[in-house]
Every structure is written in C-alpha cells, then in structure tokens.
Amino acid sequence: MAAPDVFDQRDEDGIAIVLTDVPADESLAGVREAVTLCPAAALRLVTV
Amino acid sequence: MTHIVIVGAAAAGLAATEELRRSGFDGAITLVGEELHAPYDRPPLSKQALDASWDAARLHLRNEADLAALNTVFMSGRRAVAADAAHRTLTLDGGEELAYDGLVIATGVTPARLDGIDLPTLRTLEDAVRLRARLQPGARVVIVGAGFLGTELAAAAAMRGCRVTLLDHGDSLLARLGAPVSRHVASLHAGHGVDVRSGVRVAHVDAAGAELADGTYLAADAVVACIGSTPTTWWLEGSGVPLDDGVLCGADCSAAPGIVAAGDVARWFNPAYGRLMRVEHRTNATQQGAHAARTLLAELDGGRGEAYFSVPYAWSHQFDTRIQVHGVALAGAGTEIVAGSEAEGSFIVAHHAQDRLVGIIGINARPRDLRPWQAQVHAEAALLTATLG
C-alpha cells in the first residue's frame, strides 16, 4: 500500500486506517498517490 | 504558449492533468470529455451507486475548487471525432479544430454489444441511474456476462431483493482468476439466491425477457449486458496514431511524436511482464495517467520518458467477499492455493507462469497475510525488468 508509514489496514475487513493526520514531508508523494487511488474516495489532503 | 490537450475526462485524464500542473507545466491545458459531468469514479457504479440511498455526488473525484486550481479549460459534453498526428491537430464534434503541442489519449473503452441486440449496459453514471430505478425488490433481472462487472452487478441486484439470473457464456465465473476463485464466487452467488447458468448463449432479447440459444425463455424486467468492452479508438482511425487493440505505445506510454496514451485505452509494453498489456482497472488509470503526463513533458522538453513499470492491481467487492488481485492472471498460468482454504472462505491463490509468480489473488484474505505475497509479485516483476535491461 502507498505510504506505509501513514496508512495501515485493519485485518478484519481491510479498511485503511490513517496513522498520522499530519504526514511528514518525505511521505507526501505516497500520500498524494493514496488520496488519488483510494477506492472509497475517502481521503483528502489539505496543505496548511 | 504550449498547449496540451487531453481527450478523456475520467480517472486517467484527470490524473494526467493534475500531474502536468504538479510538474510545473505552465502552458495551456484543455480537457475534452464526452460526458457532461466533472470527472467521476466508475468502480462504485456497479456497487454502492446502485443503492437508492447513495448520494451520486460522492462519485466526483475532485471538488470545484480543486478543478479550478488546475487552470484547465474543461470542454465537457464534447468528443473528439478525428486527429491528425502529423499536423498535431484534432477535430471535435461540431467541426471545431484544436491545435496541440502535446496530446494525451485517455478515451477509455466502450461496452461491447451482443450481435444485433441493443441492451442496456453499465459504464456511465446515467447507465447506473437508469438501472438503479429498475432494481426494485422482486424485479426479475437477467445479467449477461460473468466477469467483474456482471458478478458485481448480480450481487448488487440480489442485495436489493431482485430475482437475479446470471448468464455466463463460458463455464465458470471470473474464469481468468482460476478455478478456486470461480468456485468460491459461484457458490457465493448461489448462496444469495442468484440463479447462475453457465455455458449459455443469448439468442434474442425483447421487452419481456431473453431467449437463450437452447430455446429457454427467461421473463425479465431488466436485461443487462456485461460482456466486456473495446478500446475507444474509432476516432483515431487514419490519424497516424498506431492502433492494435488500443493505442499502441512504447514502454514510456508514448504512441507518436507529441502523443501519449493512458488508462483502459492504452496498450503499452510493460517491462514488468515483458509484454504488451492493456489494463482496464481503476488504479492503473490514475498511475498511468500521471506517468504518461511525465513522458509527454519530458518529450516536449527535448528528452525521453521513462518506462512505465506496472504490477496491476484490481479489487472487487461482492456480498461479504473481498477479492484483491495483484499482478496478472495470465491465460494458462498454473494456480495453487498457498494460504487458507476454500472451506474457510478465506484464501490466497498464486498464479505462476513459466515457474515465475505473476499474480496473487486474495479472497477475504487478511492484509497481513497478503502483503508478503504482494511484495513477492513486485520483486519477481522487478527481476524480469532487470533481465530485460
């Protein structure tokens, strides 16, 4: 899965879990890809 | 000013547009899409979107602010009808001509039709909305075709209380995924009351139902065709863009000078498998769209694009079963269950071709169990790429 330091998956149902809601800069590319690819369109990345 | 035109405004076209801007491209971008909607997601159309309580607005891939930030001219409800690769122009319906420096072809696929039979199918939001209205409890629904789309639609209809008949031309559901997966999916559907019929052909359809080749008549309130699709390349005939079951691309997704292709319509040389491939899955649309955009920018800059190395990923959700496919299930590949069992309803199937692991399929597999296999599929693909140089 994209950005393994930011996301994990629940074992029972495979639902993605967000481990940190302020990802480090070096994870940004992976997080962007995850946002674009999320099958449930449930992710959003906001720059603050 | 440099002008890039993207034809096709779904997942691949949107990914290309975003990647152009993210890479700092400051020229003009025109995104041409034949549908009237802003870019939306298709996988839910055969799943959640068929539930009447589901809000169609959730399909949108980007909100208005995100789209506005792309500083792109959206030509929605328009289609390209011709192109001229040598002169870098394309013609839109209505006769308008667009000149481009770079072109991204992302026109996807068009649902196949049964010979001479005009049946509803499922590709667009409108298709889903029309179909949803007919999936009333007790409605008799006949689905022709038992690939991902047909089986997902059968599950969605059965869950809404319809009486579903699933017609399969071949002898097993999701045949390409191998026998254990086919058996699981068949018993899953049968267990939810779906009447699965294999090895049948539809001869005739009328307003009241469908007649099979053996003379059986199935009365139905709705008959839907889910029998595959063909790349939408009719508009490129004679354009100079190479076509062969899709837009024929090199490893970097380039098809001709100043032209790249991505998504369902693109057939490219995938170094991960050492062969030409065309992938009709959602994840690929986004990844390849972005890659094709980078290749185009490299070329406009006088350089060359990098090879698009891809281990495809696909998923399906039917009733309470999750199917995940990493890599490919090649025809004739040897399959074996490597973890779990059919009896438990949770297992992992490995696909091998010439002693090499080419794909892994999880049926209700725990992510923790699937991950090492997934990593191995990637490692084998990387190894082959290295061998090919």
Side-chain angles (χ1 to χ4, degrees):
Chain A
M1 103 181 301
D5 50 333
V6 180
F7 303 104
D8 200 358
Q9 268 180 300
R10 254 192 340 229
D11 254 344
E12 313 88 77
D13 52 13
I15 298 237
I17 308 161
V18 179
L19 300 175
T20 167
D21 47 13
V22 187
D25 284 354
E26 55 269 26
S27 313
L28 221 54
V31 171
R32 266 205 200 95
E33 177 163 284
V35 171
T36 333
L37 292 177
C38 170
L43 300 172
R44 189 161 164 73
L45 178 66
V46 183
T47 318
V48 288
Chain B
M1 189 174 13
T2 310
H3 183 206
I4 294 179
V5 177
I6 296 159
V7 184
L14 175 66
T17 310
E18 290 189 325
E19 187 67 15
L20 290 175
R21 289 301 184 218
R22 200 177 295 141
S23 305
F25 175 69
D26 59 1
I29 304 179
T30 303
L31 181 58
V32 181
E34 69 175 331
E35 296 189 53
L36 285 166
H37 310 283
Y40 66 90
D41 208 16
R42 293 194 201 281
L45 297 181
S46 53
K47 308 178 187 78
Q48 309 93 306
L50 292 172
D51 192 296
S53 64
W54 209 73
D55 178 8
R58 293 180 60 180
L59 291 173
H60 285 130
L61 290 167
R62 294 295 176 272
N63 62 29
E64 281 181 32
D66 290 337
L67 292 175
L70 292 172
N71 189 19
T72 290
V73 177
F74 287 91
M75 301 184 80
S76 55
R78 303 294 301 276
R79 46 161 70 178
V81 295
D84 181 337
H87 295 96
R88 301 202 183 196
T89 59
L90 54 92
T91 312
L92 302 183
D93 49 359
E96 188 179 340
E97 203 163 88
L98 282 182
Y100 64 80
D101 300 288
L103 173 65
V104 181
I105 299 168
T107 39
V109 291
T110 305
R113 298 200 167 277
L114 284 172
D115 289 340
I117 306 176
D118 192 26
L119 279 183
T121 181
L122 182 53
R123 177 75 184 168
T124 65
L125 176 53
E126 282 73 18
D127 292 337
V129 168
R130 267 194 298 268
L131 193 57
R132 185 165 84 177
R134 301 175 74 172
L135 298 184
Q136 300 301 329
R140 297 157 305 176
V141 179
V142 171
I143 295 160
V144 187
F148 274 124
L149 187 62
T151 52
E152 286 177 2
L153 180 53
M159 284 170 67
R160 295 198 60 195
C162 301
R163 288 181 282 162
V164 183
T165 306
L166 180 58
L167 304 179
D168 179 11
H169 283 192
D171 57 5
S172 51
L173 308 187
L174 296 175
R176 263 200 306 171
L177 301 189
V181 176
S182 293
R183 278 194 295 269
H184 177 87
V185 174
S187 83
L188 177 70
H189 280 259
H192 284 86
V194 175
D195 179 2
V196 180
R197 303 193 191 189
S198 289
V200 297
R201 287 199 173 270
V202 174
H204 177 77
V205 174
D206 58 34
E211 187 183 340
L212 306 183
D214 68 1
T216 311
Y217 191 85
L218 300 169
D221 300 299
V223 183
V224 190
C226 303
I227 52 169
S229 51
T230 51
T232 311
T233 53
W234 59 269
W235 61 283
L236 293 166
E237 296 290 342
S239 66
V241 175
L243 304 176
D244 181 9
D245 180 34
V247 174
L248 200 57
C249 300
D252 62 355
C253 303
S254 67
I259 301 179
V260 295
D264 296 4
V265 77
R267 186 151 172 259
W268 91 107
F269 182 86
N270 185 355
Y273 291 89
R275 60 163 66 194
L276 285 166
M277 285 177 66
R278 198 166 61 73
V279 176
E280 296 180 6
H281 295 308
R282 172 66 179 81
T283 304
N284 180 65
T286 291
Q287 292 175 333
Q288 196 171 22
H291 192 99
R294 289 191 292 272
T295 289
L296 187 57
L297 288 179
E299 193 197 314
L300 291 175
D301 209 27
R304 292 201 56 181
E306 289 174 18
Y308 176 55
F309 168 99
S310 176
V311 176
Y313 173 65
W315 79 91
S316 179
H317 205 156
Q318 308 183 9
F319 302 109
D320 54 358
T321 287
R322 276 179 296 123
I323 304 173
Q324 289 171 286
V325 185
H326 293 276
V328 293
L330 297 170
T335 61
E336 84 181 291
I337 293 182
V338 292
S341 69
E342 291 183 62
E344 295 166 65
S346 165
F347 55 96
I348 297 175
V349 177
H351 280 241
H352 294 271
Q354 286 149 10
D355 291 335
R356 179 185 160 219
L357 181 69
V358 290
I360 197 83
I361 302 168
I363 299 293
N364 287 323
R366 294 189 305 175
R368 186 199 309 170
D369 299 333
L370 204 51
R371 223 168 274 146
W373 288 101
Q374 182 189 341
Q376 203 187 325
V377 170
H378 278 264
E380 298 248 3
L383 198 63
L384 180 70
T385 309
T387 327
L388 289 173

